[in-house]
Amino acid sequence: MGRHREIPLRELNQQTSRVMARVEAGETVTITKDGVPIGDIVPHGVRDGVRTGSPVYAFRTDPMGLLDLPDLGGPALSDDEIDETLRGMGAGDD
């Protein structure tokens, strides 16, 4: 079963898409007003904390399709060159 989180009504108003993405990922969200719970948003197919429908995954499982990347005029890099560049990006000076 997914996680459970309380959020203030103000956060729901300001970040509805983010809150609903959490619900879509399987999380139950309790909305509070002045710290008092006023309602729950639960994933579709869940009743009384028990899943009644198909499972909800915390990650995207459907293909997103082809990406249309613009040509920025830079050099063509191989997958190995890209991997090497990305590996080096995480190594910072402490």
Side-chain angles (χ1 to χ4, degrees):
M1 186 49 75
R3 300 170 308 276
H4 183 234
R5 178 175 176 189
E6 289 188 1
I7 65 162
L9 180 59
R10 178 183 206 131
E11 183 177 337
L12 176 63
N13 288 335
Q14 294 174 346
Q15 300 183 15
T16 305
S17 293
R18 286 185 182 179
V19 172
M20 295 311 295
R22 296 178 79 106
V23 173
E24 183 179 25
E27 187 170 333
T28 296
V29 176
T30 297
I31 307 303
T32 62
K33 184 176 181 183
D34 298 325
V36 178
I38 60 173
D40 294 317
I41 303 175
V42 298
H44 184 73
V46 173
R47 178 170 290 165
D48 297 326
V50 177
R51 179 158 308 284
T52 59
S54 60
V56 176
Y57 299 101
F59 55 89
R60 189 177 183 106
T61 58
D62 59 316
M64 292 174 45
L66 297 175
L67 296 177
D68 185 20
L69 299 176
D71 182 2
L72 300 176
L77 300 175
S78 69
D79 287 344
D80 290 336
E81 291 171 314
I82 293 170
D83 286 344
E84 172 114 6
T85 300
L86 292 175
R87 269 195 296 277
M89 292 177 80
D93 296 339
D94 288 18

